[in-house]
Amino acid sequence: MTPFLLVSRSAEYETRLRALLGERLAVIPGEFLTFGSESVVSRVTAEPRIALLGPVLNYEETKGLVEELTAQHPGLGLIVVREQRSDLEDWVDELVLHAVLSPDASDDTTLALLDRLADWLIANGRAGARDFDPPLALEIDDMPFVDLLDAAAGALAQNDFDSIADADRTAEPETAAPESSGPIWAFPPLESGTPTEAIAVVAPKGGQGKTTIAINLATGLAEVAPNSVVLIDADLQFGDITAALALVPERTIVDAVAEAANDEIVLKTTLTHHADGFFVVASAPSPELGDLVSPVALARLIDRLRATFRYVIVDTTPGMGEHALVALEHVTDAVFVSNMGVPSLRAMRTEFELLTTLGLMPGNRHVVVNQTDKLSGITIKDVENILGAPVDVDVPKSSAVLLASNRGVPLIHDDVRDPAARAIRSIVLRIAPGADPKRSKIQRRRRSNEPE
Ligand SMILES: Nc1ncnc2c1ncn2[C@@H]1O[C@H](COP(=O)(O)OP(=O)(O)OP(=O)(O)O)[C@@H](O)[C@H]1O
Ligand SMILES: [Mg+2]
């Protein structure tokens, strides 16, 4: 049975809820809302009993989903997952919801709310007693929220769940002010003398796969050094790492290089955490602000982060602009990415020659040919001849790459068996030879629209 349905744009929240509910949860990425709420609802395969909507869905999207879902599944219990904001009351007034849940609510609070709503649905003939089997794992002895539940129960009895049961309105301090709190993640201290590595991902032309590779390198290296990996989005004008990871950054590279960030603690608060165990320095919120980040400031940021993190990965703007050159000067490794197009390969050869002349070729060079395809008309041997250098890794073209990016999940955790994911893992192994791909505990997740 999959009685629970989540429609959300937060990969982090999805991971959390999946850990709580396992196979009982079906997930439809919020990205499908681009095609309208009908597109999401048409992907619902099983008969859900409770739908959680959010986080990171706007009012219109939530409204559309509530309408479509209740039309298709009349008995459905509806929970909106959203922070306590001033406009929440309007949502509650206008949408027919059964509960509001803070995305920062503890696991116990979340389970308690789901349990309570499940009981109510059963008692009111909207769901069968077996629909939620096996019951949610609630440890009664470990329920610090009993009072809270009692308070919510009062509200439920009064409103018969036809209105709102906000299980978190009186919840623990951690849910009271999620926005004002700084990062709660521990940065494992680097032992003195631990070698740190910085890796720039570069390409002479745009659209070759730099960002895809940078994200998955960070993900793979985070398995080796959890929470000791930072990924800098140094594509200053059009960086898209947070979009590809469904992260909503509070601060960006502009804050990270600002005067105030001279303080180590302030610098750390400018990072955005990803649930797979790494941090992101988000790109500037606009191209104009991105222009304010000088090459010298970028170099300094790389050096400072190397003092704290085991691995620093830098995703760059295409070409050999000042920022890319300065990044190459401050890293130990460079991953050069090109597709199989002859113009891109020729440009990469020119780039090698230029870097060698300038003395800027980093100590470790990894040549990656991306989106390889048997139908391209040239072979890897031809590629090597054009480049004048051996190809280290060949990443095949795969539709799983775009799918993972649209889902906001790193490819190597979204589809572990995909050939492109395996190839990218081999880049991780070149940088961290001790990394064992089998150590990845995260198995390929079933996509919500696949049959069970
Ligand atoms: N191996 C692959 N198979 C299929 N599609 C891929 C592969 N690698 C990358 N792509 C797709 O190619 C497009 C460009 O990839 P990506 O954004 O990673 O490149 P980029 O070099 O960072 O681009 P930009 O120069 O614009 O920053 C994306 O739509 C991505 O999904
Ligand atoms: Mg990019």
Side-chain angles (χ1 to χ4, degrees), residues 5 7 33 35-44 47-48 51 53 60-76 78 95-96:
L5 169 71
V7 184
L33 282 164
F35 310 106
S37 41
E38 317 82 66
S39 160
V40 171
V41 176
S42 69
R43 286 181 158 76
V44 179
E47 177 70 17
L53 310 179
E60 287 307 324
E61 291 169 336
T62 310
K63 183 167 185 280
L65 279 174
V66 168
E67 287 168 356
E68 286 286 327
L69 282 167
T70 41
Q72 298 289 325
H73 308 278
L76 192 68
L78 287 163
L95 305 177
V96 186

Side-chain angles (χ1 to χ4, degrees), residues 75-192:
L76 192 68
L78 287 163
I79 299 176
V80 69
V81 185
R82 194 173 151 78
E83 305 88 329
Q84 300 289 334
R85 295 240 179 96
S86 53
D87 62 353
L88 192 60
E89 274 176 27
D90 300 339
W91 288 49
V92 169
D93 284 347
E94 300 193 28
L95 305 177
V96 186
L97 302 167
H98 295 104
V100 175
L101 180 65
S102 162
D104 296 302
S106 67
D107 291 349
D108 284 345
T109 303
T110 304
L111 284 175
L113 179 67
L114 294 176
D115 200 40
R116 186 87 201 148
L117 181 50
D119 283 348
W120 183 84
L121 292 170
I122 295 167
N124 286 272
R126 291 183 174 216
R130 293 263 182 94
D131 287 350
F132 294 96
D133 277 344
L136 295 169
L138 284 174
E139 296 289 340
I140 300 298
D141 290 339
D142 293 334
M143 287 173 72
F145 48 85
V146 162
D147 289 345
L148 167 68
L149 252 187
D150 287 342
L156 303 187
Q158 204 179 348
N159 299 322
D160 253 0
F161 247 127
D162 278 325
S163 129
I164 208 79
D166 183 349
D168 269 328
R169 216 158 259 177
T170 53
E172 306 92 315
E174 67 174 278
T175 64
E179 285 173 357
S180 59
S181 54
I184 49 169
W185 307 99
F187 295 82
L190 274 184
E191 283 171 28
S192 86

Side-chain angles (χ1 to χ4, degrees), residues 51 55 156 167 188 206 216 218 221 353 362 375 402 405 417 423:
L156 303 187
N216 286 286
L221 291 170
E353 287 163 0
L375 303 176
L402 187 57
S405 165
R417 284 189 285 270

Side-chain angles (χ1 to χ4, degrees), residues 201-215 233 235 238-241 244 315-319 337 369-372 394-406 411 418-421 424:
V201 186
V202 295
K205 288 188 178 281
Q208 308 291 300
K210 292 180 301 299
T211 301
T212 304
I213 287 169
I215 286 174
D233 192 342
D235 186 348
F238 299 108
D240 48 6
I241 287 178
D315 183 20
T316 60
T317 315
V337 190
V369 182
N370 188 26
Q371 306 201 40
T372 57
D394 148 8
V395 181
K397 191 176 214 159
S398 162
S399 57
V401 175
L402 187 57
L403 207 55
S405 165
N406 286 343
L411 171 71
D418 175 72
I424 294 177

